[in-house]
Amino acid sequence: MTQADVEALLEEAEDLPYGPPRTERCEEAVRVADTIHDEGLSYDARIALIESAVFGGSPQKAIVAFAWCVAKSDADPDRFPERGGWGTDLLWMHKWVAGQVHAYPQITRAQVTSALDDMEQRYTRHGLSLRPLYQLRMHAALEMDEDGEVAHEHFRKWQWAKRDSYADCQACETHSAVEFYIKREQHERAFDTARPLLEGRQACAEVPHHTYAMLLISARALGRSDDLEHLHRVGLPLVRSNPDFLRHLALHVDHLVSTGNLADAAPLVATMLEWTRNTQDFDSRMWAYASAKHFFSKGVKARLPTHLSAAEADPVAYFDRESKAIAARFDERNGNALISTRLAAHP
Amino acid sequence: MAEHRFQIHLGGIIDLLSNHLYSSPSVYLRELLQNATDAIRARDTEGRVTITVAGAPRPQLTIEDNGIGLTEDEVHRFLSTIGASSKREDLDRTDFIGQFGIGLLSCFVVSEEISVLTRSAKGGPAISWRGRADGSYVIEERDAETTPIGTTVHLIPKPEMVEWFAADKVRELATKFGALLPFPIVVNAEGRDESINEIPPWRRKFESASEAREASLEFGKRLLDSPIEFFDVLPLKSKAGDVEGLAYVLPYSPSPTAPAAHRVYLKDMLLSEKADNLLPRWAFFVTCVLNTNGLRPTASRESFYEDEALADARDMLGVALRNYLIDLQENDPLRLEALVALHYRAIKALAAQDDDLFALFIDLLPFETSMGRMKFGEIRQRYLEIRYAPSVDVFRQIAQVASAQRMLVINAGYSYDPDLLARVHERFPELTVQSVDATDLTGALGDVEDGEVFVELITQATRVLADYDCDVDLKRFAPPELPVLYVTGEDATFQRAIEVSRRAQSEESVWGGMLDNLGAETKDARAVLVFNAANPLVGRLARVSDDEALRLSVQMLYVQALLLGHHALRPEEMSLLNVGLLDLIEWGLSQSRGGGMLQ
């Protein structure tokens, strides 16, 4: 095993679409680099792993790799500068990682807060605008705080803060605002805000993929059936082939099941449940299970993947129980009933 | 209270435009052609455009059309529209006058002076307008008798922009943007007239299908500037968006991560050479040349507004591509096979989300397996029980052993494979398809009947390897050359990654505690070292009575298995390598004097 092996793996990864195969190549590159004790290579491979894992549906792997890189950078900032070049910038990646941690109920509230505070210190030290930090705090609050005013307060700070080169792209920022309105149940505003995304004027790697799926919630709440159809039709192909979009695929399943289209839902359910095999993102897993329960509650029979053989006997009861169990873990972590209340409102 | 209007400083706007908005000065010719085309279409006449380049060393350009022309009132209006927007796409599409103004404005990127002589088909005098890049202009009436209906625009280049007026450049740009326009475009330069038009294959009639195919292939190779022949070509058409054109099947397998780039014309004028959202995402095995009359581009000109018309058009183009593949299956299976061999990645992406295509293609798709590379059709004829490893890592751990047992395991560590395999049972209920991890597989290996012979070895090994969070098992399996098999699951691998990262954390790190909590989920996941009772070395180890020899041997087998499996060594494993190996040599030497128990 040599440096060339690591480089070959990373090159191969770069040529793959985001998803487990790409992430796996990067993980192997990390292991090989660690084995041959080439710290520079270990660092590069982890940087590649962070991106692949964040966008490929395994954020927990990104957290682990990121923690290692930050430790190296802090210990030897000349060799591993925090503010690296394009694609190797830990400050930029801090956003990705700090924005994921709240989706794991085993991570405490204090730890979520400290990941964000750590980001605040680093951004401040580099003289950067805290705009993306407030945006992330808003998202964390939307997932952890029952009092919507907490998120709203961060929302305002976010909007008022200066945009600099570390701000999310326009498309991502617009989507963030849309998500804020959806979770605050201001569905008309969500639609208005989403216009540049829906018309294709703003786009990036994950947006409007997320937007189309999330707006299904608003379209349903507002009873706009034309919009529902369009959102589903344009949005589904965007999220159909990468487990990163598990939560969003589940929203499309909900839509099909709610409109009685079980035949179209069936293959999506198969994919969705296959994707739950390796995900540790409990938030996505919970919503996928909730959608599966919704689907099976219509009396449909379908074969389950091996890792869910326990559900075979009574899938409705199984997915109901398991999704509620995850919600309970979130509630316990959050110290309130936010997530189980949200889950109970699921169709 | 009086109402005032902002005074827009034209010089400033032009500077903004030229430095920030237009991707290249070449847009000036596109905009002039677009103006001429709009004018001709508004008049509904047999159109004709002449572009003349004359003068040296500072050539000037004149473009003349026989379109609808402008009245004096309209000339004033287009001037007032300038600055309302900087791009055509942002403006109301029916506002012909405003569009004209924007088009003309872009010419200031390359010109210091622009003059327009125009006479409207609606009557009135001819109008001459002459403007300069600093924003000053004059308007004069001219005799209608001596001026034909239509518009002539004359540009005097900025000194630094002369290269954009060279005859070759003008011919090249006019061809690039306007070659497909359905009326004559003539470039007059260096004393000769040259018509740059070409009728695209989809508007031509052909004697035979092969003639159409050849002409289409030639057209695409030239237009798309492809150094190699395309694999195939097929016509595309969609009523929605009024789209028509050709799809070229690429002769190589493109990276699915590379952005799509299709050459798209809007009403026969080139809109973009890298339009990205007109075809379904899975269509990455083709590159297209398309004209649309009914879709609305965004300001970037590289995509279209995500409206119903676009969604319909994309669906219809997708259907045309699917039908092409279905048709090949029926009429030219050899070509289809070659196409699948080339583009199986795209087809896997497609089949993973489309039932019909899944049914059509699954048998042709290649998979890597423990029994070699095989098409799925072959696999399902030979095996009723199909196991697949969900990752390359798992596959590598078990492939050698599986193949020695003549057991089929598919390596599903490639994009779309797990999605495809998860759906096989739906289509072929007689097959059992299941994902296996390495421990499932070792569970299926042969049990050891004379287990008591190995009790001492297994007991010792379990004790030794407990220090490394590794369990021990004993099986009898082929190939007999393999003494041990190290198997680990996703969780155990993740646990190892967490440990490596955890050790790098300093006291004050905010991430350490988080890593501990993440690891709590998988802390019970352990790797297993499976000893092979069929292996002669293992057989001999079972008879070794020297504890020290046994310990060293087990440790070395363990480290070797880790290295073979590309697993990073933890510090304590590293020291096994460093210290253990030396110990083993020393022990071997001491034994060789005394008689050698491992012989």
Side-chain angles (χ1 to χ4, degrees), chain A residues 46 63-72 74-75 118 122, chain B residues 497-516:
Chain A
R46 280 187 173 82
I63 297 172
V64 174
F66 178 79
W68 188 92
C69 291
V70 168
K72 293 295 160 184
D74 286 349
D118 187 36
R122 291 172 193 271
Chain B
I498 290 179
E499 277 174 38
V500 174
S501 192
R502 184 68 181 91
R503 264 194 306 268
Q505 303 304 315
S506 63
E507 286 287 316
E508 62 271 22
S509 161
V510 301
W511 300 94
M514 210 178 310
L515 291 172
D516 291 340

Side-chain angles (χ1 to χ4, degrees), chain A residues 15-16 21 24-25 28 31 35 61 64 67-68 71 106 111 198-199 201 212 230 233 275 277 303 329, chain B residues 255 257 305-306 308 312 315 392-393 396 413-414 419 425 433 435 490 501 504-505 513 517 521 566 568:
Chain A
D15 206 29
L16 291 173
E24 202 205 341
R25 302 299 185 279
E28 190 180 352
R31 290 200 301 267
T35 306
K61 295 179 180 173
V64 174
W68 188 92
Q106 65 269 43
Q111 285 167 343
L198 298 182
E199 290 175 352
R201 283 188 279 130
Y212 277 100
H230 182 74
R233 180 182 180 193
W275 287 355
R277 180 189 303 276
R303 224 171 127 267
R329 287 186 67 178
Chain B
S255 164
T257 58
Y305 274 94
E306 221 24 279
E308 279 306 311
D312 289 341
D315 282 358
V392 175
D393 188 39
R396 196 170 29 220
Y414 298 96
D419 294 342
H425 183 76
V433 183
S435 157
E490 168 95 352
S501 192
Q505 303 304 315
N517 289 10
E521 295 289 320
H566 294 191

Side-chain angles (χ1 to χ4, degrees), chain A residues 195-252:
Chain A
R195 267 191 60 192
L197 299 174
L198 298 182
E199 290 175 352
R201 283 188 279 130
Q202 295 175 356
C204 74
E206 296 194 313
V207 170
H209 314 40
H210 290 172
T211 323
Y212 277 100
M214 296 290 293
L215 278 176
L216 287 168
I217 298 172
S218 299
R220 191 165 47 228
L222 297 169
R224 297 195 193 172
S225 52
D226 286 358
D227 282 332
L228 273 172
E229 271 317 305
H230 182 74
L231 291 168
H232 174 66
R233 180 182 180 193
V234 179
L236 177 61
L238 300 177
V239 301
R240 187 70 173 79
S241 57
N242 177 355
D244 188 32
F245 299 122
L246 176 57
R247 199 271 173 272
H248 305 92
L249 185 63
L251 287 165
H252 286 282

Side-chain angles (χ1 to χ4, degrees), chain B residues 165-209:
Chain B
F165 289 70
D168 284 349
K169 193 76 201 168
V170 169
R171 215 177 280 124
E172 176 199 319
L173 293 176
T175 308
K176 175 178 166 187
F177 293 117
L180 303 194
L181 285 167
F183 44 79
I185 313 284
V186 174
V187 177
N188 175 297
E190 294 153 339
R192 62 190 166 96
D193 272 354
E194 190 180 331
S195 165
I196 54 109
N197 298 81
E198 149 158 56
I199 306 172
W202 59 86
R203 287 211 308 258
R204 278 155 67 186
K205 293 265 175 283
F206 293 100
E207 295 290 317
S208 67

Side-chain angles (χ1 to χ4, degrees), chain B residues 28 37 55-56 132 157 241 292 313 417 427 429 436 504 556:
Chain B
Y28 89 94
T37 302
R132 298 183 54 81
T292 167
D417 282 2
R427 164 87 190 146
V436 290
M556 284 304 110

